[in-house]
Amino acid sequence: ETDEIASLVPSLPQDTVAALLSSLDQRERHKLREMLAFPEGTVGALMDIEMVTVRDDVVIEVVLRYLRRHEELPDPFDQVFVVDRDGVLVGILRLKDLLTHDPDRPVAEVMLRDPLTFSTHDPASDAVGVFERYDLVSAPVVDDAGKLIGRLTVDAVMDYIRQRSAESQLAEGGLSQEED
């Protein structure tokens, strides 16, 4: 997956990176470049840009039909992000609310407004604490204008924790990651 490729790219030789980029389709290449634009150790570097978005002026039944049309949903999938016409995050629609409310109810009545969000430049170490404290599966990532640009998942947070743990163990043994 693109997020896994992005984590490998910094340790690959430039000619290998060039060959890898040329093997990807245009959409995947664009996605990879976006992910590589953020500094290591930030939420932006960990986020995934695969997500499902809807507007708040539709009813739940429309969202359900929209989801059924997808061949595959982003994994893990626990919520739909609600955005306005400009892509600004206005709320989230949790999967449990989507399944338990009347299909004729508007998303605006069911969604959670002002959800917990991350910014692309937030430190990944801060996100670890927030995911642990609130038992999150995923969370929206927004830019400075509030526009939704990705999501941070528990999988990415766990990978970050594992990486930091491995680096710590190497340091205890007097080795650096390059030496490993």
Side-chain angles (χ1 to χ4, degrees):
E1 293 188 18
T2 309
D3 57 340
E4 292 172 356
I5 293 171
S7 68
L8 293 173
V9 165
S11 62
L12 296 174
Q14 285 297 341
D15 58 333
T16 305
V17 172
L20 180 62
L21 285 172
S22 66
S23 71
L24 299 173
D25 65 36
Q26 184 177 0
R27 183 175 163 266
E28 290 293 316
R29 205 172 23 251
H30 176 71
K31 180 179 169 184
L32 181 60
R33 284 194 177 115
E34 281 184 348
M35 295 176 80
L36 293 173
F38 299 103
E40 188 176 334
T42 63
V43 167
L46 297 180
M47 76 175 180
D48 184 6
I49 57 174
E50 293 291 326
M51 59 198 153
V52 178
T53 61
V54 297
R55 291 203 336 257
D56 67 352
D57 58 352
V58 298
V59 295
I60 290 177
E61 176 59 32
V62 171
V63 177
L64 292 170
R65 281 197 315 258
Y66 176 66
L67 292 174
R68 284 186 200 111
R69 279 194 226 132
H70 282 77
E71 287 182 23
E72 193 174 317
L73 293 170
D75 188 36
F77 181 73
D78 67 321
Q79 59 191 340
V80 175
F81 300 105
V82 184
V83 296
D84 66 12
R85 291 185 189 275
D86 298 320
V88 174
L89 183 72
V90 295
I92 59 169
L93 181 58
R94 297 178 301 184
L95 184 57
K96 70 178 186 174
D97 293 329
L98 184 64
L99 297 174
T100 59
H101 283 86
D102 179 17
D104 294 327
R105 287 190 68 186
V107 168
E109 289 180 12
V110 178
M111 72 179 192
L112 297 176
R113 298 179 187 277
D114 300 320
L116 177 72
T117 63
F118 291 100
S119 172
T120 55
H121 57 270
D122 287 341
S125 56
D126 291 353
V128 169
V130 172
F131 265 71
E132 182 179 35
R133 187 174 322 118
Y134 296 106
D135 294 325
L136 299 176
V137 174
S138 70
V141 179
V142 297
D143 64 12
D144 293 333
K147 187 174 180 179
L148 180 67
I149 56 172
R151 70 186 183 122
L152 185 60
T153 66
V154 68
D155 296 342
V157 170
M158 292 303 298
D159 288 345
Y160 176 80
I161 291 169
R162 279 189 217 99
Q163 180 184 6
R164 293 297 167 247
S165 176
E167 289 172 3
S168 176
Q169 289 174 347
L170 286 172
E172 287 174 13
L175 298 171
S176 68
Q177 188 170 2
E178 291 78 27
E179 292 169 322
D180 180 48

